[in-house]
Amino acid sequence: MSSYAWIGLGNMGGPMTANLVSAGHMVKGFDLNEQACAAAAQGGVQIAGSIAEAMEGVEAVFTMLPKGQHVRAVYEGEAGIWAHATDQMLLIDSSTVDIETSRYIHEGSVQRGLNFVDAPVSGGISGAAAGTLAFMLGGEEKLMVRATGYIAPMSGRTIVAGAASMGIAAKICNNMMLFIDLMASAEGSQLAEKLGLDPKVFWEIASVSSGRSWAQQTWYPVPDVIDTAAANNNFEATFRTDLARKDVGLALDAGQSTGVRLPAATLAKDHFDELIAQGLGDRDCSLIVKNLLPDESVRGWDPEKAS
Ligand code: NAD
Protein backbone atom coordinates (compact mmCIF):
# COMPACT_ATOMS: atom_id res chain seq x y z
CA MET A 1 0.00 0.00 0.00
CA SER A 2 1.22 3.49 -0.85
CA SER A 3 0.13 6.80 0.66
CA TYR A 4 -0.87 9.80 -1.43
CA ALA A 5 -1.79 13.45 -0.92
CA TRP A 6 -4.10 14.69 -3.68
CA ILE A 7 -4.79 18.38 -4.33
CA GLY A 8 -7.70 19.00 -6.73
CA LEU A 9 -10.61 16.56 -6.49
CA GLY A 10 -12.63 17.75 -9.51
CA ASN A 11 -13.91 15.94 -12.61
CA MET A 12 -10.57 14.20 -13.11
CA GLY A 13 -9.13 14.11 -9.58
CA GLY A 14 -12.33 12.61 -8.15
CA PRO A 15 -12.39 9.40 -10.22
CA MET A 16 -8.58 9.12 -10.27
CA THR A 17 -8.41 9.07 -6.47
CA ALA A 18 -11.34 6.61 -6.32
CA ASN A 19 -9.23 4.22 -8.41
CA LEU A 20 -6.27 4.60 -6.04
CA VAL A 21 -8.50 3.79 -3.07
CA SER A 22 -10.01 0.80 -4.91
CA ALA A 23 -6.49 -0.50 -5.52
CA GLY A 24 -5.91 -0.47 -1.73
CA HIS A 25 -3.96 2.78 -1.32
CA MET A 26 -4.41 5.53 1.27
CA VAL A 27 -5.35 8.92 -0.18
CA LYS A 28 -5.66 12.19 1.72
CA GLY A 29 -7.35 14.83 -0.43
CA PHE A 30 -7.70 18.61 -0.38
CA ASP A 31 -9.92 20.85 -2.50
CA LEU A 32 -11.40 24.32 -2.03
CA ASN A 33 -14.77 23.08 -3.28
CA GLU A 34 -16.94 21.36 -0.66
CA GLN A 35 -18.95 19.38 -3.21
CA ALA A 36 -15.78 17.98 -4.76
CA CYS A 37 -14.58 16.98 -1.28
CA ALA A 38 -17.89 15.30 -0.44
CA ALA A 39 -17.87 13.31 -3.70
CA ALA A 40 -14.25 12.22 -3.16
CA ALA A 41 -15.02 11.19 0.43
CA GLN A 42 -17.69 8.87 -0.97
CA GLY A 43 -14.97 7.28 -3.07
CA GLY A 44 -12.93 6.60 0.08
CA VAL A 45 -10.62 9.65 0.11
CA GLN A 46 -9.79 11.05 3.57
CA ILE A 47 -10.50 14.77 3.34
CA ALA A 48 -7.88 17.07 4.84
CA GLY A 49 -8.40 20.65 5.99
CA SER A 50 -5.19 21.96 4.42
CA ILE A 51 -2.42 21.05 2.01
CA ALA A 52 -0.09 20.52 4.99
CA GLU A 53 -2.50 18.07 6.62
CA ALA A 54 -2.98 16.15 3.36
CA MET A 55 0.80 15.85 2.92
CA GLU A 56 1.67 14.66 6.42
CA GLY A 57 3.68 11.44 6.15
CA VAL A 58 2.73 10.60 2.52
CA GLU A 59 4.97 9.16 -0.21
CA ALA A 60 3.47 10.91 -3.26
CA VAL A 61 1.82 14.32 -3.70
CA PHE A 62 -0.37 14.76 -6.79
CA THR A 63 -1.90 17.98 -8.11
CA MET A 64 -4.84 17.91 -10.59
CA LEU A 65 -5.84 21.56 -10.98
CA PRO A 66 -7.43 23.68 -13.72
CA LYS A 67 -4.52 25.91 -14.88
CA GLY A 68 -0.91 26.91 -14.31
CA GLN A 69 -1.90 29.73 -11.96
CA HIS A 70 -3.62 27.23 -9.62
CA VAL A 71 -0.61 24.92 -9.64
CA ARG A 72 1.74 27.84 -8.79
CA ALA A 73 -0.65 28.91 -6.01
CA VAL A 74 -0.65 25.51 -4.29
CA TYR A 75 3.14 25.10 -4.56
CA GLU A 76 4.09 28.57 -3.31
CA GLY A 77 3.74 30.23 0.10
CA GLU A 78 3.79 29.12 3.70
CA ALA A 79 0.72 26.92 3.28
CA GLY A 80 1.95 25.40 0.01
CA ILE A 81 3.46 22.13 -1.16
CA TRP A 82 7.09 23.34 -1.26
CA ALA A 83 6.87 24.47 2.37
CA HIS A 84 5.74 21.02 3.54
CA ALA A 85 7.49 18.60 1.17
CA THR A 86 10.43 16.40 2.16
CA ASP A 87 13.08 14.90 -0.10
CA GLN A 88 11.48 11.50 0.55
CA MET A 89 8.29 12.52 -1.25
CA LEU A 90 7.64 12.42 -4.98
CA LEU A 91 5.73 15.48 -6.23
CA ILE A 92 3.69 14.88 -9.41
CA ASP A 93 1.61 17.41 -11.35
CA SER A 94 -0.97 15.86 -13.69
CA SER A 95 -2.72 19.15 -14.58
CA THR A 96 -2.49 20.51 -18.12
CA VAL A 97 -0.44 23.68 -17.64
CA ASP A 98 1.71 26.04 -19.69
CA ILE A 99 5.35 25.18 -20.34
CA GLU A 100 6.58 28.13 -18.22
CA THR A 101 4.66 26.99 -15.14
CA SER A 102 5.93 23.44 -15.57
CA ARG A 103 9.54 24.67 -15.83
CA TYR A 104 9.05 26.98 -12.84
CA ILE A 105 7.80 24.11 -10.65
CA HIS A 106 10.63 21.82 -11.83
CA GLU A 107 13.28 24.48 -11.13
CA GLY A 108 11.76 25.50 -7.79
CA SER A 109 11.67 21.87 -6.70
CA VAL A 110 15.28 21.19 -7.70
CA GLN A 111 16.44 24.35 -5.86
CA ARG A 112 14.77 23.04 -2.71
CA GLY A 113 16.23 19.54 -3.09
CA LEU A 114 12.78 18.08 -3.88
CA ASN A 115 11.68 15.50 -6.45
CA PHE A 116 9.16 16.63 -9.08
CA VAL A 117 7.72 14.99 -12.21
CA ASP A 118 5.29 16.48 -14.73
CA ALA A 119 2.74 13.81 -15.67
CA PRO A 120 -0.22 15.17 -17.66
CA VAL A 121 -2.89 12.80 -18.89
CA SER A 122 -4.99 12.03 -21.92
CA GLY A 123 -8.24 10.08 -21.94
CA GLY A 124 -10.78 12.45 -20.39
CA ILE A 125 -13.26 11.87 -17.61
CA SER A 126 -14.22 8.43 -18.93
CA GLY A 127 -10.56 7.36 -18.95
CA ALA A 128 -10.17 8.70 -15.41
CA ALA A 129 -13.15 6.65 -14.24
CA ALA A 130 -12.00 3.51 -16.05
CA GLY A 131 -8.39 3.81 -14.82
CA THR A 132 -7.14 3.80 -18.41
CA LEU A 133 -5.59 7.28 -18.73
CA ALA A 134 -2.45 7.72 -20.81
CA PHE A 135 0.22 9.48 -18.71
CA MET A 136 3.19 11.27 -20.29
CA LEU A 137 6.10 11.86 -17.93
CA GLY A 138 8.83 14.48 -17.80
CA GLY A 139 11.66 14.70 -15.30
CA GLU A 140 14.84 13.10 -14.02
CA GLU A 141 15.30 9.53 -15.21
CA LYS A 142 15.95 8.24 -11.70
CA LEU A 143 12.40 9.26 -10.64
CA MET A 144 10.54 7.51 -13.46
CA VAL A 145 10.22 3.99 -12.04
CA ARG A 146 8.84 5.36 -8.80
CA ALA A 147 6.46 7.73 -10.59
CA THR A 148 5.20 4.95 -12.87
CA GLY A 149 4.43 2.83 -9.81
CA TYR A 150 2.31 5.53 -8.14
CA ILE A 151 0.51 6.17 -11.43
CA ALA A 152 -0.18 2.51 -12.32
CA PRO A 153 -3.66 2.14 -10.69
CA MET A 154 -4.95 5.08 -12.78
CA SER A 155 -3.27 4.33 -16.07
CA GLY A 156 -3.71 2.27 -19.22
CA ARG A 157 -0.35 3.41 -20.56
CA THR A 158 2.50 5.43 -19.08
CA ILE A 159 5.19 6.77 -21.41
CA VAL A 160 8.32 8.62 -20.36
CA ALA A 161 8.44 11.61 -22.70
CA GLY A 162 11.86 12.84 -21.59
CA ALA A 163 13.47 15.36 -19.24
CA ALA A 164 11.77 18.11 -17.24
CA SER A 165 8.53 19.47 -18.84
CA MET A 166 8.62 17.00 -21.76
CA GLY A 167 5.40 15.38 -20.50
CA ILE A 168 3.56 18.67 -20.73
CA ALA A 169 5.22 19.44 -24.07
CA ALA A 170 3.87 16.14 -25.45
CA LYS A 171 0.41 16.82 -24.02
CA ILE A 172 0.22 20.32 -25.56
CA CYS A 173 1.35 19.11 -29.01
CA ASN A 174 -1.00 16.12 -28.92
CA ASN A 175 -4.06 18.17 -28.03
CA MET A 176 -3.23 20.78 -30.64
CA MET A 177 -3.21 17.98 -33.25
CA LEU A 178 -6.54 16.70 -31.92
CA PHE A 179 -8.28 20.08 -32.33
CA ILE A 180 -6.86 20.57 -35.82
CA ASP A 181 -8.18 17.09 -36.71
CA LEU A 182 -11.54 18.07 -35.21
CA MET A 183 -11.76 20.99 -37.65
CA ALA A 184 -11.19 18.56 -40.54
CA SER A 185 -14.00 16.31 -39.33
CA ALA A 186 -16.29 19.29 -38.79
CA GLU A 187 -15.76 20.69 -42.30
CA GLY A 188 -15.75 17.27 -44.00
CA SER A 189 -18.93 16.14 -42.26
CA GLN A 190 -20.92 19.27 -43.13
CA LEU A 191 -19.76 19.45 -46.74
CA ALA A 192 -20.54 15.74 -47.20
CA GLU A 193 -24.08 16.34 -45.91
CA LYS A 194 -24.68 19.29 -48.22
CA LEU A 195 -23.37 17.26 -51.19
CA GLY A 196 -26.00 14.65 -50.44
CA LEU A 197 -23.87 11.87 -48.99
CA ASP A 198 -25.40 9.53 -46.44
CA PRO A 199 -23.46 10.47 -43.26
CA LYS A 200 -22.95 6.89 -42.11
CA VAL A 201 -21.74 5.77 -45.52
CA PHE A 202 -19.35 8.72 -45.75
CA TRP A 203 -18.05 8.08 -42.23
CA GLU A 204 -17.35 4.45 -43.21
CA ILE A 205 -15.51 5.56 -46.35
CA ALA A 206 -13.38 8.07 -44.38
CA SER A 207 -12.69 5.38 -41.74
CA VAL A 208 -10.91 3.19 -44.31
CA SER A 209 -9.48 6.12 -46.26
CA SER A 210 -7.10 8.97 -45.62
CA GLY A 211 -9.66 11.12 -43.77
CA ARG A 212 -9.44 8.85 -40.72
CA SER A 213 -8.39 10.36 -37.38
CA TRP A 214 -9.12 9.92 -33.67
CA ALA A 215 -11.49 12.92 -33.85
CA GLN A 216 -13.27 11.42 -36.87
CA GLN A 217 -13.51 8.03 -35.14
CA THR A 218 -14.68 9.35 -31.75
CA TRP A 219 -16.24 12.82 -32.12
CA TYR A 220 -17.71 12.79 -35.66
CA PRO A 221 -20.10 15.76 -35.26
CA VAL A 222 -23.22 14.36 -36.90
CA PRO A 223 -25.97 12.56 -34.96
CA ASP A 224 -26.61 8.80 -35.26
CA VAL A 225 -23.33 7.91 -36.93
CA ILE A 226 -21.16 6.81 -33.97
CA ASP A 227 -22.16 6.18 -30.35
CA THR A 228 -19.49 8.40 -28.76
CA ALA A 229 -20.39 11.64 -30.58
CA ALA A 230 -21.72 14.58 -28.54
CA ALA A 231 -23.91 15.31 -31.60
CA ASN A 232 -26.18 12.45 -30.43
CA ASN A 233 -26.83 14.35 -27.23
CA ASN A 234 -27.42 17.98 -28.26
CA PHE A 235 -23.66 18.57 -27.97
CA GLU A 236 -23.54 18.04 -24.23
CA ALA A 237 -19.87 18.16 -23.39
CA THR A 238 -17.62 15.14 -23.61
CA PHE A 239 -14.82 17.75 -23.91
CA ARG A 240 -15.85 21.29 -23.01
CA THR A 241 -15.19 24.08 -25.51
CA ASP A 242 -13.55 26.29 -22.86
CA LEU A 243 -11.10 23.49 -21.95
CA ALA A 244 -10.33 22.96 -25.65
CA ARG A 245 -9.69 26.72 -25.93
CA LYS A 246 -7.35 26.55 -22.97
CA ASP A 247 -5.36 23.67 -24.48
CA VAL A 248 -5.03 25.21 -27.94
CA GLY A 249 -4.04 28.50 -26.30
CA LEU A 250 -1.19 26.72 -24.50
CA ALA A 251 0.03 25.47 -27.88
CA LEU A 252 -0.16 28.95 -29.38
CA ASP A 253 1.81 30.40 -26.45
CA ALA A 254 4.43 27.69 -26.95
CA GLY A 255 4.49 28.44 -30.69
CA GLN A 256 5.12 32.09 -29.98
CA SER A 257 7.96 31.43 -27.54
CA THR A 258 9.63 28.95 -29.91
CA GLY A 259 9.03 30.88 -33.14
CA VAL A 260 6.84 28.20 -34.77
CA ARG A 261 3.92 29.47 -36.89
CA LEU A 262 0.72 27.60 -36.07
CA PRO A 263 -1.95 28.83 -38.49
CA ALA A 264 -4.25 25.80 -38.14
CA ALA A 265 -4.14 25.98 -34.33
CA THR A 266 -4.98 29.69 -34.61
CA LEU A 267 -8.07 28.79 -36.65
CA ALA A 268 -9.10 26.25 -33.99
CA LYS A 269 -8.73 28.94 -31.30
CA ASP A 270 -10.95 31.29 -33.35
CA HIS A 271 -13.62 28.58 -33.64
CA PHE A 272 -13.67 28.02 -29.87
CA ASP A 273 -13.65 31.77 -29.14
CA GLU A 274 -16.68 32.16 -31.40
CA LEU A 275 -18.64 29.59 -29.39
CA ILE A 276 -17.48 31.02 -26.06
CA ALA A 277 -18.59 34.51 -27.14
CA GLN A 278 -22.06 33.03 -27.66
CA GLY A 279 -22.10 31.61 -24.12
CA LEU A 280 -21.43 28.05 -25.33
CA GLY A 281 -18.12 27.40 -23.56
CA ASP A 282 -19.67 24.58 -21.55
CA ARG A 283 -20.92 22.71 -24.67
CA ASP A 284 -18.90 20.10 -26.50
CA CYS A 285 -16.02 21.41 -28.61
CA SER A 286 -17.38 19.55 -31.66
CA LEU A 287 -20.15 22.17 -31.77
CA ILE A 288 -17.72 24.17 -33.94
CA VAL A 289 -19.85 22.76 -36.80
CA LYS A 290 -22.21 25.57 -35.85
CA ASN A 291 -19.66 28.09 -37.13
CA LEU A 292 -19.71 26.57 -40.62
CA LEU A 293 -23.30 26.99 -41.72
CA PRO A 294 -24.76 30.41 -42.54
CA ASP A 295 -28.23 29.49 -41.31
CA GLU A 296 -26.85 27.68 -38.25
CA SER A 297 -29.02 24.68 -39.15
CA VAL A 298 -26.77 22.13 -37.55
CA ARG A 299 -28.20 18.65 -37.28
CA GLY A 300 -28.14 17.51 -33.66
CA TRP A 301 -28.14 21.03 -32.21
CA ASP A 302 -31.26 22.46 -30.59
CA PRO A 303 -30.43 25.60 -28.58
CA GLU A 304 -33.89 25.51 -26.99
CA LYS A 305 -33.14 22.15 -25.41
CA ALA A 306 -29.64 23.07 -24.24
CA SER A 307 -29.65 23.11 -20.42
P1 NAD B 1 -12.09 20.62 -12.50
O1 NAD B 1 -12.30 22.09 -12.61
O2 NAD B 1 -13.25 19.70 -12.55
O3 NAD B 1 -11.29 20.29 -11.13
C1 NAD B 1 -10.27 21.08 -10.61
C2 NAD B 1 -10.43 21.14 -9.09
O4 NAD B 1 -9.35 21.90 -8.55
C3 NAD B 1 -11.72 21.79 -8.64
O5 NAD B 1 -12.45 20.90 -7.81
C4 NAD B 1 -11.24 23.02 -7.87
O6 NAD B 1 -12.05 23.35 -6.75
C5 NAD B 1 -9.86 22.59 -7.43
N1 NAD B 1 -8.98 23.70 -7.07
C6 NAD B 1 -8.74 24.85 -7.76
N2 NAD B 1 -7.86 25.62 -7.10
C7 NAD B 1 -7.53 24.94 -5.96
C8 NAD B 1 -6.66 25.22 -4.88
N3 NAD B 1 -5.96 26.34 -4.82
N4 NAD B 1 -6.57 24.30 -3.89
C9 NAD B 1 -7.29 23.16 -3.94
N5 NAD B 1 -8.13 22.83 -4.94
C10 NAD B 1 -8.24 23.72 -5.94
O7 NAD B 1 -11.03 20.26 -13.64
P2 NAD B 1 -10.73 18.80 -14.25
O8 NAD B 1 -11.63 18.52 -15.39
O9 NAD B 1 -10.62 17.82 -13.12
O10 NAD B 1 -9.27 19.05 -14.89
C11 NAD B 1 -8.11 19.13 -14.09
C12 NAD B 1 -6.91 19.22 -15.02
O11 NAD B 1 -6.86 18.08 -15.86
C13 NAD B 1 -6.95 20.44 -15.94
O12 NAD B 1 -5.66 20.98 -16.05
C14 NAD B 1 -7.43 19.87 -17.26
O13 NAD B 1 -6.97 20.61 -18.39
C15 NAD B 1 -6.79 18.49 -17.23
N6 NAD B 1 -7.46 17.49 -18.06
C16 NAD B 1 -8.83 17.43 -18.06
C17 NAD B 1 -9.47 16.50 -18.86
C18 NAD B 1 -10.98 16.43 -18.88
O14 NAD B 1 -11.52 15.75 -19.77
N7 NAD B 1 -11.70 17.05 -17.94
C19 NAD B 1 -8.70 15.61 -19.66
C20 NAD B 1 -7.32 15.65 -19.59
C21 NAD B 1 -6.69 16.61 -18.78
Coordinates of all heavy atoms in Angstrom, one line a residue, residues 81-120:
I81 N 2.8 23.4 -1.1 CA 3.5 22.1 -1.2 C 5.0 22.2 -0.9 O 5.5 21.4 -0.1 CB 3.2 21.5 -2.5 CG1 1.7 21.1 -2.7 CG2 4.1 20.3 -2.8 CD1 1.3 20.7 -4.1
W82 N 5.6 23.2 -1.5 CA 7.1 23.3 -1.3 C 7.4 23.5 0.2 O 8.4 22.9 0.7 CB 7.6 24.5 -2.0 CG 7.9 24.3 -3.5 CD1 8.3 23.0 -4.0 CD2 7.9 25.2 -4.6 NE1 8.4 23.2 -5.4 CE2 8.2 24.5 -5.7 CE3 7.6 26.6 -4.7 CZ2 8.3 25.1 -7.0 CZ3 7.7 27.2 -5.9 CH2 8.0 26.4 -7.1
A83 N 6.6 24.2 0.9 CA 6.9 24.5 2.4 C 6.7 23.2 3.2 O 7.3 23.1 4.3 CB 5.9 25.5 2.9
H84 N 6.0 22.2 2.7 CA 5.7 21.0 3.5 C 6.3 19.7 3.0 O 6.2 18.7 3.5 CB 4.2 20.9 3.8 CG 3.7 22.0 4.6 ND1 3.1 23.1 3.9 CD2 3.7 22.3 5.9 CE1 2.8 24.0 4.9 NE2 3.1 23.5 6.0
A85 N 7.0 19.8 1.8 CA 7.5 18.6 1.2 C 8.8 18.2 1.8 O 9.6 19.0 2.3 CB 7.7 18.9 -0.3
T86 N 9.1 16.9 1.8 CA 10.4 16.4 2.2 C 11.1 15.8 0.9 O 10.4 15.5 -0.1 CB 10.3 15.3 3.3 OG1 9.7 14.2 2.7 CG2 9.4 15.8 4.4
D87 N 12.4 15.5 1.0 CA 13.1 14.9 -0.1 C 12.7 13.4 -0.3 O 13.2 12.8 -1.2 CB 14.6 15.1 0.0 CG 15.2 14.5 1.3 OD1 14.5 13.9 2.0 OD2 16.4 14.8 1.5
Q88 N 12.0 12.9 0.7 CA 11.5 11.5 0.6 C 10.2 11.4 -0.3 O 9.9 10.4 -0.8 CB 11.1 10.9 1.9 CG 12.2 11.0 3.0 CD 13.4 10.1 2.5 OE1 13.2 8.9 2.3 NE2 14.5 10.7 2.4
M89 N 9.6 12.5 -0.5 CA 8.3 12.5 -1.3 C 8.5 12.7 -2.7 O 9.5 13.3 -3.1 CB 7.4 13.7 -0.8 CG 6.9 13.6 0.6 SD 6.0 15.1 1.1 CE 5.6 14.7 2.8
L90 N 7.6 12.1 -3.5 CA 7.6 12.4 -5.0 C 6.5 13.3 -5.3 O 5.3 13.0 -5.0 CB 7.5 11.1 -5.8 CG 7.7 11.3 -7.3 CD1 9.0 12.0 -7.6 CD2 7.6 10.0 -8.0
L91 N 6.8 14.5 -5.9 CA 5.7 15.5 -6.2 C 5.4 15.3 -7.7 O 6.3 15.3 -8.6 CB 6.2 16.9 -6.0 CG 6.9 17.1 -4.6 CD1 7.5 18.6 -4.5 CD2 6.0 16.9 -3.5
I92 N 4.1 15.2 -8.0 CA 3.7 14.9 -9.4 C 2.5 15.8 -9.8 O 1.5 15.8 -9.1 CB 3.2 13.4 -9.6 CG1 4.4 12.4 -9.2 CG2 2.7 13.1 -11.0 CD1 4.0 11.0 -9.3
D93 N 2.7 16.6 -10.9 CA 1.6 17.4 -11.3 C 1.0 16.8 -12.6 O 1.7 16.6 -13.6 CB 2.1 18.8 -11.7 CG 0.9 19.7 -12.1 OD1 -0.2 19.5 -11.6 OD2 1.1 20.6 -13.0
S94 N -0.3 16.5 -12.5 CA -1.0 15.9 -13.7 C -1.9 16.9 -14.4 O -2.6 16.5 -15.3 CB -1.8 14.6 -13.3 OG -0.9 13.6 -13.0
S95 N -1.9 18.1 -13.9 CA -2.7 19.2 -14.6 C -2.1 19.5 -16.0 O -1.0 19.3 -16.2 CB -2.7 20.4 -13.7 OG -2.6 20.2 -12.4
T96 N -3.0 20.0 -16.8 CA -2.5 20.5 -18.1 C -2.2 22.0 -17.9 O -3.1 22.8 -17.8 CB -3.6 20.4 -19.2 OG1 -4.0 19.0 -19.3 CG2 -3.0 20.8 -20.6
V97 N -0.9 22.3 -17.9 CA -0.4 23.7 -17.6 C 0.4 24.2 -18.8 O 0.8 23.4 -19.7 CB 0.3 23.8 -16.3 CG1 -0.5 23.3 -15.1 CG2 1.6 23.0 -16.4
D98 N 0.8 25.5 -18.7 CA 1.7 26.0 -19.7 C 3.1 25.6 -19.4 O 3.5 25.2 -18.3 CB 1.6 27.6 -19.6 CG 1.8 28.1 -18.2 OD1 0.9 27.9 -17.4 OD2 2.9 28.6 -17.9
I99 N 4.0 25.6 -20.5 CA 5.3 25.2 -20.3 C 6.1 26.0 -19.3 O 6.8 25.4 -18.5 CB 6.1 25.4 -21.7 CG1 5.4 24.5 -22.8 CG2 7.6 25.1 -21.6 CD1 5.9 23.1 -22.8
E100 N 5.8 27.3 -19.2 CA 6.6 28.1 -18.2 C 6.3 27.7 -16.8 O 7.2 27.6 -16.0 CB 6.2 29.6 -18.4 CG 6.9 30.3 -19.6 CD 6.3 29.8 -20.9 OE1 5.1 29.4 -21.0 OE2 7.0 29.8 -21.9
T101 N 5.0 27.4 -16.5 CA 4.7 27.0 -15.1 C 5.3 25.7 -14.8 O 5.9 25.5 -13.8 CB 3.1 26.8 -15.0 OG1 2.5 28.1 -15.1 CG2 2.8 26.2 -13.7
S102 N 5.3 24.7 -15.8 CA 5.9 23.4 -15.6 C 7.4 23.6 -15.3 O 8.0 23.0 -14.3 CB 5.7 22.5 -16.8 OG 6.4 21.3 -16.6
R103 N 8.1 24.5 -16.1 CA 9.5 24.7 -15.8 C 9.8 25.3 -14.5 O 10.7 25.0 -13.8 CB 10.1 25.6 -16.9 CG 10.2 24.8 -18.3 CD 10.9 25.7 -19.3 NE 10.9 25.0 -20.6 CZ 10.9 25.6 -21.8 NH1 10.8 26.9 -21.8 NH2 11.0 24.9 -22.9
Y104 N 8.9 26.3 -14.1 CA 9.0 27.0 -12.8 C 8.9 26.0 -11.7 O 9.7 26.0 -10.7 CB 7.9 28.0 -12.8 CG 7.8 28.7 -11.5 CD1 8.7 29.7 -11.0 CD2 6.7 28.4 -10.6 CE1 8.5 30.3 -9.8 CE2 6.5 29.0 -9.4 CZ 7.4 30.0 -9.0 OH 7.2 30.6 -7.8
I105 N 8.0 25.1 -11.8 CA 7.8 24.1 -10.7 C 9.0 23.1 -10.6 O 9.5 22.8 -9.5 CB 6.4 23.4 -10.8 CG1 5.3 24.3 -10.8 CG2 6.3 22.4 -9.6 CD1 5.0 25.1 -9.6
H106 N 9.4 22.7 -11.8 CA 10.6 21.8 -11.8 C 11.8 22.5 -11.2 O 12.5 22.0 -10.3 CB 11.0 21.5 -13.3 CG 10.3 20.2 -13.8 ND1 10.7 19.0 -13.4 CD2 9.3 20.0 -14.7 CE1 10.0 18.1 -14.0 NE2 9.1 18.7 -14.8
E107 N 12.1 23.8 -11.6 CA 13.3 24.5 -11.1 C 13.2 24.8 -9.6 O 14.1 24.6 -8.9 CB 13.5 25.8 -11.9 CG 14.1 25.5 -13.3 CD 13.9 26.7 -14.3 OE1 13.6 27.8 -13.8 OE2 14.0 26.4 -15.5
G108 N 12.0 25.2 -9.2 CA 11.8 25.5 -7.8 C 11.9 24.3 -6.9 O 12.4 24.3 -5.8
S109 N 11.5 23.1 -7.5 CA 11.7 21.9 -6.7 C 13.1 21.5 -6.6 O 13.6 21.1 -5.5 CB 10.8 20.8 -7.4 OG 9.5 21.1 -7.4
V110 N 13.9 21.6 -7.7 CA 15.3 21.2 -7.7 C 16.0 22.1 -6.7 O 16.8 21.6 -5.9 CB 15.9 21.3 -9.1 CG1 17.4 21.2 -9.1 CG2 15.3 20.2 -10.0
Q111 N 15.8 23.4 -6.8 CA 16.4 24.3 -5.9 C 16.2 24.0 -4.4 O 17.1 24.2 -3.6 CB 15.9 25.8 -6.1 CG 16.5 26.4 -7.3 CD 15.7 27.6 -7.7 OE1 14.8 28.1 -7.0 NE2 15.9 28.1 -9.0
R112 N 15.1 23.4 -4.1 CA 14.8 23.0 -2.7 C 15.2 21.6 -2.4 O 14.8 21.1 -1.3 CB 13.3 23.2 -2.5 CG 12.8 24.7 -2.5 CD 11.3 24.8 -2.5 NE 10.9 26.2 -2.4 CZ 10.8 27.1 -3.4 NH1 11.2 26.7 -4.7 NH2 10.4 28.3 -3.3
G113 N 15.8 20.9 -3.3 CA 16.2 19.5 -3.1 C 15.1 18.6 -3.1 O 15.1 17.5 -2.5
L114 N 14.0 18.9 -3.8 CA 12.8 18.1 -3.9 C 12.7 17.4 -5.2 O 13.3 17.8 -6.2 CB 11.5 18.9 -3.6 CG 11.5 19.7 -2.3 CD1 10.4 20.7 -2.2 CD2 11.5 18.7 -1.1
N115 N 11.8 16.3 -5.3 CA 11.7 15.5 -6.5 C 10.3 15.8 -7.1 O 9.3 15.6 -6.5 CB 11.7 14.0 -6.1 CG 13.0 13.7 -5.4 OD1 14.1 13.9 -5.9 ND2 12.9 13.1 -4.2
F116 N 10.4 16.3 -8.4 CA 9.2 16.6 -9.1 C 9.1 16.0 -10.5 O 10.2 16.0 -11.2 CB 9.1 18.2 -9.2 CG 7.9 18.6 -10.0 CD1 6.6 18.6 -9.4 CD2 8.0 19.1 -11.3 CE1 5.5 19.0 -10.2 CE2 6.9 19.5 -12.0 CZ 5.6 19.5 -11.5
V117 N 7.9 15.5 -10.9 CA 7.7 15.0 -12.2 C 6.5 15.6 -12.8 O 5.5 15.7 -12.1 CB 7.5 13.4 -12.1 CG1 7.1 12.9 -13.4 CG2 8.8 12.8 -11.7
D118 N 6.5 16.1 -14.1 CA 5.3 16.5 -14.7 C 4.7 15.3 -15.4 O 5.4 14.5 -16.1 CB 5.5 17.7 -15.7 CG 6.5 17.4 -16.8 OD1 7.7 17.2 -16.5 OD2 6.1 17.3 -18.0
A119 N 3.4 15.0 -15.2 CA 2.7 13.8 -15.7 C 1.3 14.1 -16.1 O 0.3 13.6 -15.5 CB 2.8 12.8 -14.6
P120 N 1.1 14.9 -17.2 CA -0.2 15.2 -17.7 C -0.8 13.9 -18.3 O -0.1 12.9 -18.5 CB 0.0 16.3 -18.7 CG 1.4 16.1 -19.2 CD 2.2 15.6 -18.0

